[in-house]
Structures are given as structure tokens and as C-alpha cells.
Amino acid sequence: MPFYIAFLLLFILTGCVGQGILRKDGVSTERPFSAANLAKNDTDMMAELNQRELLRSLKLLSEKLYRRNPREFRKSGHESAEAASASIFAQIPGWIASPSNQPDWQENFKLAFREDYTGDRVGAFISALTSMVMASYDYKSEFFLPDSLSAQKLYNSARNIEVAVWKLSNAKSTQGDKFLVSNSMDPDIANLSFEREFGKLIAQQDMLALFVEDKSNRSISRVFQNVAAFVFLPI
């Protein structure tokens, strides 16, 4: 009898899975039901969904940055922006599997804007940004009932994104050229697509931080972050 009750419950839950959103690019947000979901609470599910959307936005940003700065993906031996972007995000399973594979995201951020750096600046910047965001999830991609997220880490990561965006938009070489072109190559044509994507990243991390704070009853320590100082909050 317990077996039949469990089977019936699984059948009902599977039937209750909602229809996903179909995006403009033809990709659906729907995820198939998994029995593992029974070991997750609403915070776990929200964290996984939030992380998935963050990585999607970061990948889009990496491709956009590579297209604006094509010499950067050629430095790392790739033939296209898409190939260079894919190589960055292919590293994530390795970061999750072992701490020794996790890059020093603070050093990579600084490397992207060093005058004497001759490597792939987009790769360094996006790798740092992605690693920092993943650190706020303790380098996990799945969450279950025993897991707990830190609202403070999520909040700090949102502030760090603000610092990184400011640096990306304002850092210039001694010759007065931007290290990385982002918003527009033509000063007469406004292109705010980068701000929109970065704004989504910040808002998503802040919202999850508030959600976790409410669930855990642990208050976030709000701090004022001086973006021009290029100093990051700990994750």
C-alpha cells in the first residue's frame, strides 16, 4: 500500500508541473519533473532557477563583449565569440567538482584591466564575474533540504557586480583607450543593452538575498561600496 501511495503522489506531482515560458530565441524555461525535487524546498528551487538565469545572462554578456572586442577571443586562439564564450562556461563543472579548480576571481578582475596584460581580457573579466557569482552559491548547482545559502554572500555578490560594471565602463589605458568596449563603439548611438543585462544580474542576486534573509531570519549587513576604489566584498 505505501508503494502505491508513493507512486500516486509522484504521478500527481508530475502532472502538476507547469508549462514553461517560451523565449524569443525558441528556448523554453520548462524543467522536467525529477524525483529529486521531493528533497528540495522552495528556497532550493528558487536558488537553482536564479542561478540558471544568471549563467544564461553571463553567457550572453560574454558573447556580446567578445563581439565588441574581437581581438580578445583571437588572443586565446578561438575563431568566434561563441567558441570563446563556450570555453569559459565549460569550466564550471570543474569548479563545482573541486576547490582546486576554482579561479582566483579577485585577481582575474584586476588582470582584465592591467596595463601590461597581453592575454584575453574578456575571458579574464567574465571568468572572474562568473566565478564570483558561483562562489555566492558555494559553487553548487543543485540544492537540497540540508543545504543553506548565505544571504550576505548573495548581497555582497550584487555589490561586487556593481563594482565590476563601473570598472568595465570607465577603465582606460594610459593612452586614453578603454580596455574593453561595452556599451557603444559609436558615441552618437546609445546602446544600453549591457546595462540592462548587468542590471538583471544585480536585481536577481538582491532578490534572492532578501528571500534567503527572510527564510533564515539572518539579517544582511548593508554596506556602502565605493565602486571607484575597485575593492570587492568577501564571498
Side-chain angles (χ1 to χ4, degrees):
M1 183 62 70
F3 171 80
Y4 289 111
I5 292 173
F7 180 81
L8 180 61
L9 180 60
L10 281 172
F11 179 79
I12 293 170
L13 289 173
T14 304
C16 290
V17 175
Q19 187 175 7
I21 300 169
L22 187 64
R23 302 182 187 277
K24 290 190 295 184
D25 58 6
V27 176
S28 174
T29 61
E30 185 177 6
R31 294 197 302 176
F33 176 79
S34 169
N37 291 346
L38 298 175
K40 303 175 188 287
N41 59 26
D42 52 354
T43 305
D44 298 327
M45 300 287 282
M46 186 172 179
E48 290 181 7
L49 177 63
N50 201 68
Q51 186 188 93
R52 185 186 69 182
E53 292 302 301
L54 287 169
L55 292 177
R56 182 177 177 276
S57 288
L58 285 165
K59 193 168 189 301
L60 177 62
L61 280 166
S62 70
E63 291 176 0
K64 288 166 69 67
L65 273 174
Y66 273 127
R67 291 191 191 104
R68 289 291 174 87
N69 305 271
R71 66 179 181 180
E72 301 304 322
F73 68 73
R74 296 188 185 110
K75 288 178 183 177
S76 52
H78 295 288
E79 296 183 354
S80 68
E82 291 76 14
S85 174
S87 71
I88 295 172
F89 290 87
Q91 300 174 51
I92 293 178
W95 300 347
I96 295 170
S98 172
S100 63
N101 294 323
Q102 296 159 11
D104 186 335
W105 56 266
Q106 293 200 49
E107 279 304 309
N108 277 4
F109 269 129
K110 295 172 183 177
L111 197 64
F113 302 104
R114 266 178 46 181
E115 190 89 28
D116 61 343
Y117 184 56
T118 58
D120 179 357
R121 294 183 186 275
V122 173
F125 180 81
I126 293 295
S127 177
L129 190 60
T130 305
S131 180
M132 187 273 294
V133 166
M134 288 298 294
S136 70
Y137 293 85
D138 297 323
Y139 287 100
K140 295 179 180 177
S141 59
E142 281 194 292
F143 301 90
F144 299 95
L145 290 171
D147 296 322
S148 61
L149 284 169
S150 166
Q152 190 66 56
K153 286 183 179 182
L154 295 164
Y155 171 85
N156 286 2
S157 71
R159 306 290 72 77
N160 289 345
I161 294 171
E162 292 173 344
V163 173
V165 173
W166 187 92
K167 192 70 174 179
L168 176 66
S169 302
N170 293 278
K172 294 181 180 179
S173 67
T174 52
Q175 287 75 36
D177 300 319
K178 283 190 174 184
F179 286 111
L180 291 171
V181 177
S182 55
N183 292 321
S184 179
M185 297 178 71
D186 186 345
D188 298 324
I189 301 175
N191 185 331
L192 303 178
S193 60
F194 281 91
E195 271 80 358
R196 285 195 294 270
E197 287 300 322
F198 279 117
K200 283 166 58 178
L201 293 176
I202 295 165
Q204 286 170 316
Q205 287 294 81
D206 272 334
M207 182 57 68
L208 184 58
L210 292 172
F211 186 79
V212 172
E213 178 188 41
D214 183 65
K215 288 287 184 178
S216 63
N217 292 319
R218 294 180 182 175
S219 298
I220 296 171
S221 177
R222 268 75 173 175
V223 295
F224 173 76
Q225 182 72 321
N226 184 358
V227 295
F230 202 39
V231 175
F232 295 103
L233 297 174
I235 302 294

